[in-house]
């Protein structure tokens, strides 16, 4: 019996023009988002390679490592980030390794190319969030009330069919029909990636698979939700209205409004405040260094013919040690205030995201961005990566020049005896950015995936229960 | 009959070789000629798809005739539709009306666009009572109305327009027996107000009871037209079936 | 007659349960958007105030005119409450110093990415995404719905001209939808006043224009819905069609056109440009140092037997020469950079023209572009600020250099190494507070109302044209509509 209902439901859906139109649109958009993502990735990769090459080229011809004034590293483009942009374009993607003792990530994509900030990206996550949910509603809103209006419900229940079987068949049938078409669309979209030469590792395929899975779960939430509402309302026009209002709230309003209200409730020290504290400490330390410098008196025998050279090197050493002390103090302080800010941000984030999770749209967004490695976590991750590399660069420069790269003072005495040789920029250890680990990403996404599954279950049960009491006349 | 003609010199509703062939080639109406005089109640019978609704649609210029013409009060409808429609009221087959309006609000709207902006609530009440809609339903929204109640409102709208010609497309569908009876009385009183009434129906018995002229349509042709008086002593149902069968064999042969 | 028809249409809308639900939602959303907008504005204003006082403090703490630097900060504008546009995407401040060009950095979103996750709600967002949807939902069955319920037959059994009926229909639904949303709009204006947002006359005028623009956009979607329903027989078809068109207009076309422009006009990243500049600068400095080294060498070698006094003079001359040469190199590098950036800007402008040109197929993006242009949160915003900051930079640098020359202080640290006294370090500062009375202050870029309005004329026109087109389409569709 159940099988008959499921079959009928699938046939009914697949043969309807509504299905044909909405899925044509859905497929086109999904394919478009994959295509745009792949093209965007390729372009970004080119730009990234060009930036890296130019960065090394500008060092060419210099004869001393300490005259290299800047060494920038960039966040390398990731294929998944092109599909789920998350916040990757909002945060600083560049860091200068020689700008100071602190790594500051700057230059968000949206700030540098505001054209993308105007309408933002047509990424897969966006298609999921808006289009899939809208189409789930469109296909589900009149599942029951529509049958009632057409009079078919009355006819159906003129036979000895249990209600539970009917609603179960309807739920399963519609989900099977719609999700299998979606899977086909997603599968076709995935083909674009290898076709357009986007390098995807095995891990990334797994992550993409889970992203697609979360998308389907999200679709399921809206589909079961629509059936639930349809089983509660007598007329399809009111069920559509109800669902549309719910859709607007869930997709557009709740996530934004809850983050805006909850985040303002938690006091987080502003970036300016931190910069202020740091700069006042820096100037204080610098003043101390200056005092120490003016008191520097080398203990040297005046008659020593090498005195000049010795004084020079002693002074260099002295400056170097001063610099190291300053650096250590600075970084200790920065670590502390950054830690404080980080903790406050964590509280802020938990509060506002938990509030926003009333809407399944939030869960979907958090799950997919975690999986793609473009969640808020990316800010910290990129900073950590650049910091680690900063140390590597520091060590390298120290080894090459014997000096602290951030000492701020270099004395070079050239007696003209040796012809300086140009440096070889390729000696510089390159920046090996490692994206957020797959296991970490999946772990971070799991709670939200679970939440989506829970929503599915709740609406499913809701639909079954409320249909039990539905007035089929 | 002679007597009738002298009484009513010019027909109020008239078709002349009216033919309608739909875009898909269906010949829905084939050279129909009929006339309805003031004070005459003309009933069209005929099976589903016989062309009754098509005739009425042509009178209202909802569709253009393929050839021939329909006129109201001598005004050819597809030439001067707006002028023609001033003289006609219409009760449609299955009207939903404005679901969010009350009966009175619906009446108010339609009487206004029908050219009567001077009517008061009492007038609406009167006419609703006249068609037999229960008092307590007057100020209820149409959403909860039964088919018959909606039909009564539709009829009330037509009465309010107070036009010399009335077109009714299966007005009795969905009316309960009492309402059906009252409706017949209503038609009678409208006729006595000298209105020309063209009605399509499937209700043979009521038709016989009230009609002045009875016509049977089939496949777009009028296969019979008789003054009701001539059929008074016949079993109309039998006659109807007989005609239909005869026509069928003719068509088949 | 017309008024009867309009009244019916109005009542039809206002009495429907659909209306009550949407009206409630719209009111809440409009008020919510303005309320959160004001709060965000207050938050960023506070941030701005503390940042500016910090900058002033920093200047006061300076003890030396040499290589003095400061920061210029973008001031929040009340219009961002209604059209946040790019305010949160673009850097809040820039360094102002002689060695580096102006570059806005630290966008609010990059500072607090939590807000970037879901972004902001503003007035324009509500209109663009929510009200446009509602407009379409109220009108998609305006004509064919009436046909389905048999109403058209009934109406046109009376002597009513079709054009009149359609005009009434459009005016009625327009009034029915506009009047109710004018209530929350008025309330939100009240909110702006009550919460003490500092709005000047230009702001009010801009806000009024913005509201007019929004109403125009809303009208477009109403007429679009009517047109669709006048060209389709069944409301289920027009329902689907209008939703698909809405998705395309509002969600897809804008984004797709930017994606297309990105591929068609590739623009190098700013980091690449900066590295190119750096390479050029390194190159220039290297030749400069090589030459100067040579000069020092020759001058010190050749004057071996001359007196110390003369050697000192030669050295002094050399130093003066070198200073002027250094200046030339600096200017050359700056010019090179200006050229590079200009080229980049040209390319970007080309990309933008293409992207926005495409996107204007959708009246919804024309609306967004016009609204942000009005509010000054458009894509030009960054250039506008950077330009005014660059002007400030040159006056600031000129001023400090002049002061520096007057004070006769070298600035920086002087280290002298001699075999007799060892190392002697002077840090050059005279440790007394500087006289900052005449120091140039950064002026926020100003836009007159006319400038703001002019930037939106194209989009205004487009929107009006599209609306007109839809009206005409509705008329043509309806005049030949089969009312059965
Ligand atoms: N829009 C149309 N296009 C094509 N053919 C049509 C159209 N409307 C009606 N017809 C055809 O015209 C013929 C007459 O239809 P009409 O609606 O006039 O019949 P009717 O007598 O009113 O029937 P019923 O008693 O069922 O109301 C039928 O064969 C029908 O199929
Ligand atoms: Mg009929």
């Amino acid at each position: 019996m159940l099988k008959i209902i499921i079959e009928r439901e699938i046939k009914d859906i697949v043969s309807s023009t509504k299905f044909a139109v909405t899925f044509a649109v859905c497929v086109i958009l999904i394919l478009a988002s994959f295509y745009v993502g792949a093209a965007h990735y390729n372009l970004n990769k080119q730009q990234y390679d060009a930036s890296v090459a130019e960065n090394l080229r500008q060092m060419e011809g210099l004869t001393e490592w300490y005259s290299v004034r800047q060494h920038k590293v960039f966040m390398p483009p990731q294929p998944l980030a092109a599909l789920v942009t998350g916040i990757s374009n909002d945060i600083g993607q560049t860091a200068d390794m020689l700008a100071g003792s602190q790594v500051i990530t700057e230059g968000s994509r949206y700030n540098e190319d505001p054209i993308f900030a105007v309408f933002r990206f047509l990424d897969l996550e966006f298609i999921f969030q808006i289009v899939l949910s809208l189409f789930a509603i469109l296909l589900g809103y009149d599942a029951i009330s529509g049958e009632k209006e057409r009079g078919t419900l009355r006819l159906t229940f003129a036979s000895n069919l249990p209600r539970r079987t009917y609603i179960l068949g309807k739920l399963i049938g519609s989900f099977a029909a719609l999700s299998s078409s979606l899977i086909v669309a997603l599968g076709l979209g995935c083909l674009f990636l290898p076709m357009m030469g986007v390098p995807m590792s095995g891990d990334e395929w797994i992550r993409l698979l889970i992203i697609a899975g979360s998308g389907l779960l999200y679709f399921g939430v809206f589909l079961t939700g629509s059936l639930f509402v349809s089983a509660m309302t007598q007329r399809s026009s009111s069920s559509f209205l109800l669902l549309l209002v719910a859709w607007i709230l869930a997709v557009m309003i709740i996530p934004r409004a809850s983050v805006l209200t909850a985040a303002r409730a938690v006091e987080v020290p502003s970036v300016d405040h931190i910069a202020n504290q740091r700069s006042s400490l820096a100037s204080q330390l610098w003043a101390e260094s200056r005092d120490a410098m003016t008191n520097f008196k080398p203990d040297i025998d005046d008659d020593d013919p090498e005195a000049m050279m010795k004084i020079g090197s002693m002074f260099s050493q002295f400056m170097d040690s001063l610099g190291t002390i300053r650096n250590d103090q600075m970084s200790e302080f920065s670590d502390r205030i950054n830690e404080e800010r980080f903790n406050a941000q964590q509280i802020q984030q938990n509060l506002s995201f938990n509030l926003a999770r009333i809407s399944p749209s939030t869960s979907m967004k958090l799950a997919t961005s975690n999986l793609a490695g473009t969640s808020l976590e990316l800010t910290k991750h990129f900073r950590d990566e650049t910091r680690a590399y900063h140390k590597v660069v520091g060590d390298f420069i120290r080894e090459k020049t014997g000096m602290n790269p951030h000492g701020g003072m270099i004395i070079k005495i050239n007696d003209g005896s040796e012809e300086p040789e140009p440096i070889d920029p390729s000696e510089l250890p390159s920046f090996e950015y490692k994206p957020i680990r797959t296991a970490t990403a999946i772990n971070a996404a799991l709670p939200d995936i679970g939440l989506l599954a829970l929503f599915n279950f709740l609406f499913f049960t809701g639909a079954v229960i409320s249909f039990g009491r539905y007035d089929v006349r | 009959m002679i007597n009738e003609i002298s009484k009513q010199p010019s027909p109020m509703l008239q078709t002349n070789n009216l033919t309608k062939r739909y875009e898909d080639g269906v010949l829905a109406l084939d050279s129909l000629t009929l006339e309805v005089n003031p004070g005459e109640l003309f009933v069209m019978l005929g099976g589903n798809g016989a062309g009754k609704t098509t005739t009425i649609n042509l009178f209202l210029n909802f569709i253009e005739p393929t050839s021939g013409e329909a006129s109201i009060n001598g005004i050819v409808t597809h030439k001067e539709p707006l002028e023609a429609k001033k003289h006609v009221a219409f009760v449609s087959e299955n009207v939903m009306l404005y679901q969010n309006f009350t009966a009175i609000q619906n009446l108010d709207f339609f009487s206004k666009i029908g050219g009567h902006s001077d009517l008061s609530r009492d007038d609406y009440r009167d006419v609703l009572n006249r068609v037999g809609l229960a008092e307590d339903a007057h100020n209820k929204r149409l959403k909860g109305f039964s088919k018959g109640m909606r039909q009564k409102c539709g009829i009330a709208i037509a009465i309010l327009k107070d036009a010399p010609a009335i077109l009714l497309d299966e007005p009795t569908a969905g009316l309960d027996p009492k309402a059906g009876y009252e409706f017949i009385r209503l038609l009678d009183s409208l006729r006595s107000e000298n209105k020309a009434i063209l009605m399509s129906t499937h209700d043979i018995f009521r038709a016989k009871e009230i009609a002045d002229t009875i016509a049977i349509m089939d496949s777009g042709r009028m296969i019979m037209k008789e003054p009701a008086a001539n059929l008074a002593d016949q079993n109309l149902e039998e006659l109807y079936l007989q005609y239909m069968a005869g026509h069928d064999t003719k068509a088949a042969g | 007659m017309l008024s009867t028809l309009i009244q019916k249409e109005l009542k039809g809308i206002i009495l429907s349960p659909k209306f009550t639900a949407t009206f409630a939602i719209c009111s809440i959303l409009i008020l919510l958007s303005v309320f959160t907008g004001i709060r965000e504005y207050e938050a960023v204003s506070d941030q701005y105030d503390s940042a500016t006082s910090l900058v002033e403090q920093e200047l006061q703490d300076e003890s030396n005119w040499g290589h003095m630097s400061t920061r210029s900060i973008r001031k929040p504008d009340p219009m961002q409450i209604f059209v946040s546009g790019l305010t949160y995407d673009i850097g809040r401040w820039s360094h102002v110093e002689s060695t580096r060009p102006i570059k806005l950095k630290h966008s609010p979103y990059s500072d607090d990415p939590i807000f970037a996750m879901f972004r902001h709600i503003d007035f324009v967002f509500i209109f663009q995404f929510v009200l446009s949807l509602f407009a379409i939902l109220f009108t998609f069955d305006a004509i064919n719905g009436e046909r389905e319920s048999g109403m058209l037959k009934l109406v046109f059994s009376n002597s009513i001209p079709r054009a009149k009926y359609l005009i009434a229909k459009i005016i009625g639904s327009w009034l029915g939808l506009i009047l109710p949303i004018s209530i929350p709009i008025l309330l939100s204006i009240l909110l702006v006043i009550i919460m003490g947002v500092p709005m000047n006359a230009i702001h009010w005028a801009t806000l009024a224009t913005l509201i007019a623009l929004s109403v125009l956009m809303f009208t477009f979607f109403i007429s679009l819905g009517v047109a669709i329903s006048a060209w389709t027989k069944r409301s289920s078809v027009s329902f689907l069609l209008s939703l698909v068109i809405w998705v395309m207009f509002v969600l897809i076309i804008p984004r797709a056109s930017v994606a297309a422009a990105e591929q068609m006009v590739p623009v190098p990243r700013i980091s690449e440009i900066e590295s190119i500049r750096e390479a050029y600068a390194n190159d220039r400095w290297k030749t400069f140092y090589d030459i100067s080294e040579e000069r020092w060498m020759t001058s010190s070698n050749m004057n071996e037997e001359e007196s110390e006094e003369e050697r000192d003079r030669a050295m002094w001359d050399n130093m003066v020469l070198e200073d002027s040469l250094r200046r030339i190199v600096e200017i050359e590098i700056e010019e090179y950079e200006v050229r590079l950036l200009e080229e980049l800007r040209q390319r970007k402008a080309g990309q933008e023209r293409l992207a926005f040109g495409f996107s204007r197929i959708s009246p919804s993006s024309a609306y967004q572009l016009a609204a942000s242009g009005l509010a000054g949160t458009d894509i030009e915003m960054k250039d506008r600020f950077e330009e005014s900051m660059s002007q400030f930079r040159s006056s600031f640098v000129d001023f400090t250099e002049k002061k520096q020359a007057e004070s006769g202080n070298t600035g920086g640290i002087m280290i002298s190494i001699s075999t007799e006294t060892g190392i002697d370090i002077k840090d050059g500062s005279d440790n007394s507070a500087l006289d900052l009375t005449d120091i140039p202050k950064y002026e926020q870029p100003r836009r007159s109302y006319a400038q703001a309005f002019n930037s939106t004329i194209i989009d205004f026109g487009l929107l009006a044209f599209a609306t007109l087109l839809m009206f005409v389409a509705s008329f043509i569709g309806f005049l030949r509509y089969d009312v059965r």
Side-chain angles (χ1 to χ4, degrees), chain A residues 86-356:
Chain A
I87 56 150
S88 58
N89 295 304
D90 291 290
I91 60 174
Q93 294 188 332
T94 314
D96 192 341
M97 292 295 115
L98 298 174
S101 58
Q102 285 298 306
V103 180
I104 295 172
T105 52
E106 284 180 335
S108 74
R109 187 76 206 266
Y110 285 146
N111 182 33
E112 291 189 345
D113 296 316
I115 185 173
F116 297 110
V118 175
F119 302 122
R120 309 199 185 280
F121 287 99
L122 183 67
D123 60 352
L124 186 66
E125 190 266 337
F126 172 76
I127 301 291
F128 276 0
Q129 172 161 22
I130 306 257
V131 182
L132 279 196
S133 54
L134 193 59
F135 286 167
I137 288 177
L138 209 52
L139 288 161
Y141 79 95
D142 61 349
I144 290 161
S145 42
E147 296 235 9
K148 183 188 163 114
E149 281 165 5
R150 273 175 282 151
T152 46
L153 204 57
R154 236 172 311 168
L155 285 178
T156 311
F157 283 101
S159 67
N160 61 343
L161 176 72
R163 288 189 174 209
R164 193 150 294 180
T165 317
Y166 179 78
I167 183 78
L168 227 59
K170 233 179 152 59
L171 280 162
I172 297 172
S174 48
F175 190 74
L178 301 177
S179 59
S180 54
S181 348
L182 272 181
I183 289 170
V184 171
L186 287 168
L188 284 177
C190 285
L191 286 182
F192 273 121
L193 299 176
M195 257 163 51
M196 294 176 67
V198 176
M200 293 272 290
S201 68
D203 268 13
E204 279 168 331
W205 279 116
I206 294 174
R207 285 158 87 150
L208 182 57
L209 199 70
I210 308 178
I211 289 175
S214 328
L216 282 182
L217 270 181
Y218 176 69
F219 180 74
V221 171
F222 279 88
L223 193 65
T224 47
S226 310
L227 258 76
F228 179 35
V229 171
S230 177
M232 283 194 306
T233 46
Q234 298 295 315
R235 291 186 319 126
S236 56
S237 60
S238 43
S239 105
F240 183 73
L241 191 69
L242 210 63
L243 281 165
L244 195 76
V245 169
W247 178 78
I248 289 175
L249 288 179
V251 174
M252 302 195 181
I253 309 300
I254 291 175
R256 292 160 193 257
S258 40
V259 170
L260 283 177
T261 47
R264 288 283 171 222
V266 179
E267 190 88 35
V268 174
S270 74
V271 185
D272 288 354
H273 180 67
I274 286 186
N276 179 17
Q277 282 184 315
R278 211 157 46 199
S279 79
S280 63
L281 179 70
S283 56
Q284 185 197 329
L285 288 176
W286 180 236
E288 284 168 13
S289 292
R290 241 166 18 186
D291 287 347
M293 275 153 62
T294 34
N295 294 332
F296 175 75
K297 279 279 175 287
D299 184 22
I300 285 283
D301 182 7
D302 280 354
D303 300 329
D304 192 340
E306 294 277 286
M308 195 66 170
M309 289 313 249
K310 276 194 182 148
I311 291 174
S313 70
M314 277 173 77
F315 184 68
S316 284
Q317 263 168 21
F318 169 71
M319 292 300 286
D320 203 38
S321 66
L322 269 188
T324 314
I325 293 170
R326 270 209 315 275
N327 275 352
D328 289 350
Q329 276 175 316
M330 266 314 281
S331 47
E332 190 206 331
F333 177 74
S334 309
D335 284 350
R336 204 182 65 241
I337 50 176
N338 278 336
E339 181 72 21
E340 272 169 26
R341 179 168 150 88
F342 180 72
N343 289 341
Q345 274 181 322
Q346 216 61 33
I347 296 171
Q348 181 189 47
Q349 186 182 324
N350 288 344
L351 181 69
S352 34
F353 285 173
N354 283 342
L355 191 64

Side-chain angles (χ1 to χ4, degrees), chain C residues 84-102:
Chain C
S84 58
L86 297 184
T87 17
Y88 298 106
D89 295 290
I90 285 175
R92 282 186 294 118
W93 53 265
S94 167
H95 282 294
V96 177
E97 55 198 351
S98 59
T99 50
R100 271 192 281 183
I102 288 291

